[in-house]
Amino acid sequence: MNSQNKYKLKGNESFNIREGWLNKGMRAIQDQPDIFSSGNAADVLGVGTKMVKAIRFWLLASSLAVERINRNARRTLHCTMNLGDIVMEYDRYFEDIFTLWIIHYNIVKRDDMCTVWSLFFNNFSADEFTKSKMVDSMAEEFKKYFESTRSVYNSIEDDCLSILKMYNVVSSEENIDPEDNTSSPFSELGLIKRSDTDKSKYLKLRPLFDKLDRHVVLYIMVDNLASDRNSVSFDALINDPNNVGKVLNLDRNLLNEYLDQLKQDGYITVNRTAGLDMVYFNDVPTPAEVLRAYYNQVEREM
C-alpha cells in the first residue's frame, strides 16, 4: 500500500463502469477538458449528476486521464500520454478485452483512489468466500494500513458490493436483459463468480488462458520493474503487491505458460537453475511500448 496513508472509499458514488462510459468520458474531455467543472456535463454525457461524478472518478482511477488546474483555476481532465492517448488511438470504443485487463490493473494499483479494490486483489487470498467474510477481511486489512477517526465499515461494505457486481461473471440463468447497460464490461474478465452450489458464496477465479493475452502479463511485469533492474524472480511475480500473481490471480503453472510465450517472442530469458527461478529481460520495453506492440499486432492480424 502507499506510504502516504491516503485512501478513498465510495469514490465511485456506488456506480461501476458501465458499457460505453469510458469512451463517452474520454471523448468528452478531448472535446472539452473542463467538462466536469462545467454546468453542462450531465447534458453532454446524458447521465445523472452522480453518474457524472462516477465517470470522472473512473477516468482518473484507471489512469486513462489526469487532472490539471488551468490558468483560471479551473480543473481540467486530459488523456494520459502513456495510456489514455494510446487506447483512444487503437481501441477508442473499449471493445478489446486486452484494454479492460490493462484498466483493471491500473485500478487495482491505485490504492489511493480504489483502496478496497487494491486490498481485495492484493491481500485477500480466499478462493471461496461469502460477502460478509469479504467485508470483515477488508475491514481488518484496512486497519493495518490506515488510521481513521470515523467508522468506515459501511463504506467498505459498499465498495465490496461494488467489486462483486463489477467482476461477477453473469450466468445465463440470471436472465439479464441484454439492453440493461447497468452491468459492467469487467465481468468479461472472469475473475469472480457466484458459486453454482451455494449462491451465498463467491469464487475468486484464475483467468481463462484464451481471455488473457501475454502482453497483459508483460505490461504488468515491466510496470512493476525497478528502473535500474532487468530481472525479477518468480516469487516476486507471484507474491509482490500489484504484480501479475496478485492482480491476475495467477498461480505458478499458469504464469509459466505466459512466460514461455514471452520467451518465444524474444522478450525474456528464463533461468531455473540453483532452485532460484529468475526472469531476465532481453530489452526492457516501456509499458507504452507493450501497449503499442499488442495493438499493432492485432491490426496486422486483421
Side-chain angles (χ1 to χ4, degrees):
M1 303 295 288
N2 64 65
S3 60
Q4 297 179 330
N5 239 24
K6 293 181 179 179
Y7 69 88
K8 184 178 284 291
L9 303 174
K10 293 186 65 174
N12 64 340
E13 300 287 333
S14 297
F15 288 104
N16 287 324
I17 299 173
R18 297 186 181 182
E19 199 73 48
W21 270 16
L22 296 177
N23 165 260
K24 187 179 293 187
M26 293 291 278
R27 286 190 291 113
I29 65 173
Q30 285 181 324
D31 295 338
Q32 185 184 342
D34 67 348
I35 180 70
F36 290 102
S37 300
S38 68
N40 66 336
D43 293 334
V44 171
L45 296 171
V47 297
T49 303
K50 285 191 175 181
M51 291 185 184
V52 168
K53 293 179 180 178
I55 293 174
R56 175 185 176 276
F57 170 82
W58 286 119
L59 293 181
L60 293 171
S62 63
S63 296
L64 286 166
V66 63
E67 186 176 72
R68 299 175 188 154
I69 308 295
N70 67 12
R71 297 177 183 176
N72 301 319
R74 198 175 183 87
R75 295 181 181 273
T76 59
L77 260 61
H78 305 267
C79 297
T80 51
M81 183 174 62
N82 292 327
L83 181 58
D85 282 340
I86 297 173
V87 169
M88 291 303 283
E89 178 182 352
Y90 290 98
D91 187 26
R92 65 186 295 110
Y93 295 105
F94 298 83
E95 297 173 320
D96 195 323
I97 192 173
F98 169 84
T99 306
L100 298 183
W101 281 114
I102 298 300
I103 294 172
H104 160 70
Y105 163 67
N106 279 282
I107 287 172
V108 171
K109 76 173 186 175
R110 289 299 304 270
D111 56 354
D112 61 325
M113 293 195 71
C114 299
T115 305
V116 179
W117 274 253
S118 182
L119 288 172
F120 175 72
F121 284 99
N122 282 308
N123 297 51
F124 191 63
S125 59
D127 289 331
E128 182 178 275
F129 58 93
T130 61
K131 189 189 81 169
S132 60
K133 178 180 179 180
M134 177 186 180
V135 177
D136 289 344
S137 296
M138 294 301 93
E140 286 301 314
E141 289 297 322
F142 182 89
K143 291 178 183 177
K144 294 179 184 179
Y145 297 99
F146 306 103
E147 294 181 5
S148 178
T149 57
R150 64 188 180 91
S151 175
V152 297
Y153 189 89
N154 289 341
S155 296
I156 290 174
E157 183 175 27
D158 286 343
D159 277 354
C160 286
L161 184 59
S162 282
I163 291 172
L164 293 177
K165 288 181 177 179
M166 181 169 173
Y167 290 98
N168 180 37
V169 177
V170 178
S171 169
S172 58
E173 298 177 357
E174 294 183 49
N175 297 320
I176 300 298
D177 186 345
E179 298 299 319
D180 180 8
N181 68 344
T182 62
S183 61
S184 169
F186 287 81
S187 63
E188 187 180 354
L189 302 184
L191 292 174
I192 298 174
K193 178 184 177 182
R194 192 185 291 271
S195 172
D196 293 328
T197 57
D198 185 347
K199 297 302 181 182
S200 69
K201 294 182 178 180
Y202 293 86
L203 307 176
K204 198 175 183 183
L205 306 174
R206 290 176 179 81
L208 296 176
F209 192 74
D210 61 352
K211 283 201 168 189
L212 178 65
D213 189 89
R214 62 195 182 279
H215 287 87
V216 177
V217 176
L218 180 62
Y219 178 93
I220 297 174
M221 287 169 61
V222 298
D223 194 57
N224 279 278
L225 193 67
S227 59
D228 60 342
R229 298 290 302 275
N230 72 337
S231 65
V232 60
S233 70
F234 273 46
D235 284 344
L237 292 174
I238 289 293
N239 298 316
D240 279 3
N242 299 326
N243 221 314
V244 291
K246 297 293 187 179
V247 174
L248 304 176
N249 200 26
L250 299 184
D251 59 16
R252 282 181 174 269
N253 291 333
L254 196 49
L255 174 60
N256 268 310
E257 292 189 50
Y258 287 107
L259 294 180
D260 286 342
Q261 287 188 333
L262 295 173
K263 181 180 177 181
Q264 292 175 7
D265 290 342
Y267 284 112
I268 63 172
T269 299
V270 180
N271 188 336
R272 296 185 173 92
T273 60
L276 181 61
D277 296 340
M278 293 291 297
V279 175
Y280 296 89
F281 291 88
N282 299 329
D283 185 19
V284 182
T286 65
E289 288 171 340
V290 175
L291 295 180
R292 292 190 180 277
Y294 170 80
Y295 289 125
N296 286 326
Q297 173 187 290
V298 170
E299 288 189 344
R300 289 193 299 270
E301 294 174 351
M302 291 178 65

